[in-house]
Amino acid sequence: MQLNSVVIRTENMEQSLEFYEKILGLTFETMMSAAPGKQIAFLYDAQSNGRLELIHNDLSKVKKENSISLTFIVDQISETEKYLRSKNVRIIMQPRTVKDGKKMLTAVDPNGIEIDFIEL
């Protein structure tokens, strides 16, 4: 079994696309209208081949209990922290070393989705 994609329901498609493309470097593939008022954007990460789907539906409100988190592997946590701060990304947990010796920091995207950045 392999993970195919991560889905994030968003209230602001434009803001989410900008965050994932311009700040985190994912590549936009395509956008489709699945139903009236419902858009799905498809993005991918060329390095890991990971997939992300952003869904916006004009007819339903995004519920926080449906929230998810994402994890990105980075080369240097300190450089990642500098980069995120330069883009005004809110960091909610400062860089720290976790039990297995990995360095990690946690930030949030425009939807409040937590994103862990881990230096292996």
Side-chain angles (χ1 to χ4, degrees):
M1 195 180 317
Q2 293 180 334
L3 177 66
N4 183 52
S5 65
V6 173
V7 176
I8 297 176
R9 287 161 186 79
T10 179
E11 290 185 13
N12 188 321
M13 180 65 82
E14 185 177 311
Q15 189 178 41
S16 294
L17 280 170
E18 182 175 334
F19 181 84
Y20 285 100
E21 284 183 280
K22 298 210 173 19
I23 296 176
L24 296 186
L26 273 65
T27 302
F28 176 82
E29 280 186 303
T30 188
M31 174 128 28
M32 65 177 275
S33 179
K38 185 175 184 180
Q39 296 177 303
I40 304 175
F42 298 89
L43 299 101
Y44 73 97
D45 175 40
Q47 288 184 328
S48 69
N49 205 29
R51 304 270 180 221
L52 176 66
E53 295 177 24
L54 299 171
I55 298 177
H56 172 74
N57 189 339
D58 290 336
L59 305 176
S60 67
K61 195 93 169 134
V62 175
K63 297 178 183 173
K64 292 295 177 192
E65 58 267 79
N66 292 340
S67 67
I68 58 156
S69 66
L70 303 174
T71 301
F72 285 84
I73 304 301
V74 299
D75 291 329
Q76 293 184 330
I77 204 73
S78 60
E79 291 302 312
T80 301
E81 178 185 19
K82 287 178 194 172
Y83 176 73
L84 293 174
R85 289 190 188 285
S86 76
K87 298 295 185 180
N88 296 316
V89 175
R90 187 165 66 101
I91 296 174
I92 60 171
M93 292 185 82
Q94 300 302 314
R96 62 208 179 275
T97 303
V98 294
K99 285 184 181 180
D100 59 3
K102 295 175 185 166
K103 295 177 183 175
M104 179 171 140
L105 74 80
T106 306
V108 293
D109 84 347
N111 303 296
I113 303 295
E114 290 188 8
I115 306 171
D116 292 325
F117 296 87
I118 299 176
E119 176 184 319
L120 300 180

